[in-house]
Amino acid sequence: MTPFILLLCVTLAAIPPCTDPEAARSAFAAALQQAAQRELAKARALYIRAHAVCPRIATAFNLASTHQLLGKPVGAHDLLEALLDQDFGPLSERQRQAVQALRQSTSSERAQVDLHVPTQEPHVFLLDDQVRSSTSARSRLWLNPGSHRLRIESPDGRSQQTSVQLSAGQRTVVEHVLPPRPGTLRVVASAGAQALEIVGVTKGTG
């Protein structure tokens, strides 16, 4: 009998290069000191600096933890997803458990906004004055708790904006309807002076 041989092809994800290991080590060590002193904003800036030049598991996890402590669960959750996808290298079982636990926590802290735009017209969506995308009729947004501005704009300048105040874990629906295009009313007087009155518009004669 001819033996059956199973060949397994395993593709390992490439770990991002470390372009400046010394700068990363220095920034990481400084971030740990700032975190120990509860200077979380400074610690986050240093973790971001370290992660930019040398994206590694410990840096990404500490950065995600700091994001969460600063009330930024969306950024934390994105990093944790990348960690579970092994974008920064393979995780040990202990590391995986820690990442999964933190991801579950940050997932429940994100606010959810279901954006409805009932129009077929082209439009652009802006979140906090930053262009996000050309939205479809329905979009789901994951946002950090706090105040946000949601705005849609059409190419001809029409727009609608809504401000929302979101708490951790809140879910809400926002519907944006573009204002109608301005129309033109043409009146032709057949004879003599004619009085014209349109509700809400100053009277005129023609």
Side-chain angles (χ1 to χ4, degrees):
M1 175 182 285
T2 303
F4 178 75
I5 301 176
L6 177 63
L7 298 179
L8 297 178
C9 296
V10 180
T11 301
L12 298 177
I15 300 175
C18 191
T19 58
D20 195 339
E22 186 57 39
R25 282 192 292 268
S26 176
F28 186 85
L32 291 175
Q33 292 179 350
Q34 294 295 332
Q37 298 170 13
R38 306 303 295 175
E39 295 286 351
L40 297 179
K42 294 179 181 179
R44 182 178 63 170
L46 289 163
Y47 282 133
I48 290 174
R49 187 185 306 172
H51 187 70
V53 297
C54 193
R56 292 296 180 262
I57 292 172
T59 309
F61 184 82
N62 285 12
L63 178 54
S65 299
T66 309
H67 274 317
Q68 184 194 32
L69 291 171
L70 287 169
K72 309 292 184 184
V74 173
H77 191 270
D78 291 346
L79 272 172
L80 296 166
E81 288 286 344
L83 279 164
L84 290 173
D85 288 341
Q86 302 191 71
D87 289 355
F88 313 122
L91 301 174
S92 68
E93 184 57 31
R94 183 177 178 181
Q95 289 172 327
R96 179 172 294 276
Q97 291 175 1
V99 171
Q100 288 174 335
L102 188 58
R103 183 188 63 167
Q104 182 176 359
S105 176
T106 58
S107 181
S108 64
E109 293 171 1
R110 297 178 301 168
Q112 176 184 313
V113 174
D114 288 330
L115 179 65
H116 296 177
V117 186
T119 180
Q120 299 299 318
E121 297 183 59
H123 59 276
V124 175
F125 170 63
L126 295 89
L127 174 63
D128 298 329
D129 301 324
Q130 300 295 318
V131 176
R132 288 287 295 265
S133 64
S134 296
T135 62
S136 58
R138 294 176 181 269
S139 302
R140 174 160 295 175
L141 310 173
W142 296 104
L143 303 178
N144 292 317
S147 179
H148 297 279
R149 293 181 303 280
L150 289 74
R151 181 180 178 89
I152 58 171
E153 294 182 354
S154 65
D156 60 8
R158 290 171 296 136
S159 65
Q160 186 189 53
Q161 178 170 302
T162 301
S163 296
V164 294
Q165 182 68 36
L166 303 172
S167 57
Q170 180 179 350
R171 296 184 177 184
T172 189
V173 176
V174 173
E175 182 170 284
H176 273 174
V177 180
L178 283 170
R181 289 188 176 91
T184 301
L185 176 64
R186 184 169 180 265
V187 177
V188 179
S190 58
Q194 303 292 325
L196 174 66
E197 180 178 358
I198 303 175
V199 176
V201 180
T202 305
K203 290 183 180 180
T205 59

